[in-house]
Amino acid sequence: MTVRPPSASQSRNPGNSLASKAAPASARMAPPPLRQRHFVFLLLNQFTLLSFSAAIEPLRIANRMSGQELYRWTLMAEGGTGASCSNGARIAVDRGLEEIARDDVVLVCGGLDVRSNTTPGVLNWLRRASRRGSVIGGLCTGAHVLAKAGLLDGRRATIHWENRDGFLEEFAEVDLTKTVFTIDGNRLTAAGGTASIDLILTLVADDHGKDLANAVADQLIYSTIRTDRDIQRLSIPTRIGVRHPRLAQVIARMEASIEEPLSPAELAEEVGMSTRQLERLFRRYLNRSPKRYYMELRLAKARNLLMQTDLSVINVALACGFSSPSHFSKCYRAQYGTTPYRERGSHGMDDEAGAEPGEDGGPEDPDDPDAMFPED
């Protein structure tokens, strides 16, 4: 949503118009009508409290700092009795899925297990709101709900980085970014956590100016308001605790090439070093070989896909660069202590492929640090 400033005719001094000249002096001196905005927070079960409170608190503080009721809000949940946060707390709501006004801004607050908590009732309610022309947004995993309802087709959107892999597999028609929030027409998405603050402060600035947005940020002790161009995740050097340009470059290539893994030789060549130098670099800074580090990245993505999508275990294996289900199962069990099939079953999800495949391969050398991750 691009919030447009008042048009020239609206912002023009009312005293210059013929109508104002004919009006009494008291009317000519009256301030312009107060612009109010009403937010509807739709709370899904297991929603993330932080992303919700990071959205509603800036609205409250904007009212306090301005001395006016610029923003109002209503809490809604399917059934109308309340919703449970992912931390176990339960939040009372004002009403169930009732009809809303066209000018209301709907923010869907998601969190854990968003697929199970995205019900037909919620989807149908959102589609009706969309047909009415309402601004609709998603906080944290709320973007999944909007995409499931078909409200993000052909739009830019964002979602928490942990849910990115599953989202990409399920909603190829959405232009998914890695930014902290996005505004695309009348669709808003924020990645979760404190990203809600950045989204709301951007709306406050569009509505009432940057001075008010900065005053709200100051009250929140929020020193930098991020834009829709800022990336969610910490940089690779910060994440791994090592500032080495070529190491960061290799890891970035690994993260971008999960489905079709590159060999250590290819990775080394890209950064202008030998395979032996690359091995030493990883051993020195990360205490593991490039091959093992790469495998851990692939298995982490596989685990996300198992938990967040309906992809079969075989398709998850292929999406993470494994040529056979048995090899995938063997590596997965070495890393997580269970097989992909049992992992999915423990979360109440069935796999369309049926029985678990056998595991091939002989005994491994316990002195080999890469033994648990055999070559594809």
Side-chain angles (χ1 to χ4, degrees):
M1 177 185 71
T2 300
V3 182
R4 296 181 177 83
S7 65
S9 61
Q10 292 173 313
S11 60
R12 189 184 300 121
N13 186 339
N16 294 333
S17 69
L18 291 175
S20 66
K21 289 178 180 178
S26 59
R28 292 202 303 270
M29 298 177 62
L34 177 66
R35 180 181 183 183
Q36 290 184 322
R37 191 187 291 275
H38 181 232
F39 282 79
V40 174
F41 290 92
L42 174 57
L43 308 183
L44 301 185
N45 272 322
Q46 295 182 278
F47 74 96
T48 303
L49 183 58
L50 176 57
S51 62
F52 163 65
S53 59
I56 200 170
E57 279 298 287
L59 300 178
R60 177 189 68 80
I61 295 172
N63 288 348
R64 176 170 171 257
M65 299 304 295
S66 67
Q68 303 176 84
E69 190 182 41
L70 304 177
Y71 298 102
R72 299 179 298 110
W73 48 86
T74 299
L75 307 188
M76 301 177 75
E78 190 172 23
T81 59
S84 296
C85 311
S86 56
N87 62 17
R90 187 162 180 84
I91 303 297
V93 298
D94 301 303
R95 62 188 69 165
L97 298 182
E98 300 175 11
E99 296 304 313
I100 61 172
R102 181 183 182 279
D103 291 336
D104 289 347
V105 179
V106 178
L107 292 180
V108 181
C109 301
L112 298 180
D113 202 10
V114 67
R115 295 173 73 253
S116 297
N117 291 312
T118 302
T119 66
V122 165
L123 294 175
N124 290 334
W125 185 84
L126 286 171
R127 289 170 183 140
R128 289 197 302 273
S130 175
R131 288 193 293 270
R132 196 175 293 112
S134 296
V135 174
I136 303 177
L139 308 181
C140 194
T141 59
H144 176 100
V145 188
L146 271 61
K148 190 72 174 178
L151 306 186
L152 293 179
D153 292 357
R155 305 281 193 124
R156 292 174 61 253
T158 192
I159 198 168
H160 192 284
W161 61 265
E162 190 176 46
N163 302 89
R164 178 178 172 80
D165 294 332
F167 190 100
L168 286 170
E169 292 290 340
E170 191 165 354
F171 304 112
E173 62 278 7
V174 180
D175 180 11
L176 192 66
T177 75
K178 296 181 179 180
T179 56
V180 291
F181 71 89
T182 66
I183 299 176
D184 190 341
N186 60 356
R187 295 292 178 265
L188 320 172
T189 49
T194 58
S196 298
I197 297 177
D198 304 290
L199 172 63
I200 297 299
L201 289 181
T202 298
L203 300 182
V204 170
D206 285 348
D207 287 345
H208 303 288
K210 289 185 177 180
D211 287 347
L212 179 58
N214 289 337
V216 174
D218 212 19
Q219 285 291 311
L220 291 166
I221 316 181
Y222 200 68
S223 58
T224 303
I225 303 175
R226 293 172 293 183
T227 72
D228 59 358
R229 294 180 298 278
D230 287 302
I231 303 301
Q232 293 178 34
R233 299 202 69 185
L234 297 172
S235 66
I236 289 174
T238 303
R239 273 190 274 144
I240 65 176
V242 177
R243 295 199 173 277
H244 192 292
R246 288 199 285 185
L247 179 61
Q249 187 179 346
V250 170
I251 291 174
R253 285 293 286 127
M254 288 178 172
E255 291 180 348
S257 305
I258 297 293
E259 188 169 353
E260 297 181 2
L262 303 171
S263 69
E266 291 172 314
L267 292 168
E269 184 178 359
E270 285 196 11
V271 296
M273 61 173 58
S274 68
T275 304
R276 187 180 295 274
Q277 288 173 318
L278 184 67
E279 291 276 348
R280 286 202 297 264
L281 187 64
F282 270 76
R283 295 285 183 191
R284 177 181 176 184
Y285 290 110
L286 300 176
N287 196 31
R288 52 175 58 77
S289 70
K291 171 184 152 187
R292 176 166 180 170
Y293 188 89
Y294 208 167
M295 181 65 75
E296 290 172 354
L297 289 177
R298 292 162 60 195
L299 290 171
K301 176 176 180 177
R303 193 166 193 271
N304 278 342
L305 292 179
L306 287 170
M307 298 299 100
Q308 298 169 15
T309 72
D310 285 328
L311 287 175
S312 69
V313 170
I314 292 173
N315 285 333
V316 169
L318 293 174
C320 298
F322 294 92
S323 58
S324 73
S326 59
H327 177 222
F328 172 50
S329 183
K330 185 176 186 178
C331 295
Y332 196 94
R333 186 169 69 174
Q335 178 73 3
Y336 296 115
T338 187
T339 66
Y341 291 84
R342 291 172 189 149
E343 181 89 274
R344 173 160 279 177
S346 70
H347 286 76
M349 302 169 67
D350 295 325
D351 192 84
E352 63 184 34
E356 183 171 349
E359 296 180 354
D360 53 13
E364 297 152 351
D365 179 4
D367 295 326
D368 179 3
D370 292 328
M372 68 170 64
F373 303 131
E375 294 285 359
D376 266 274

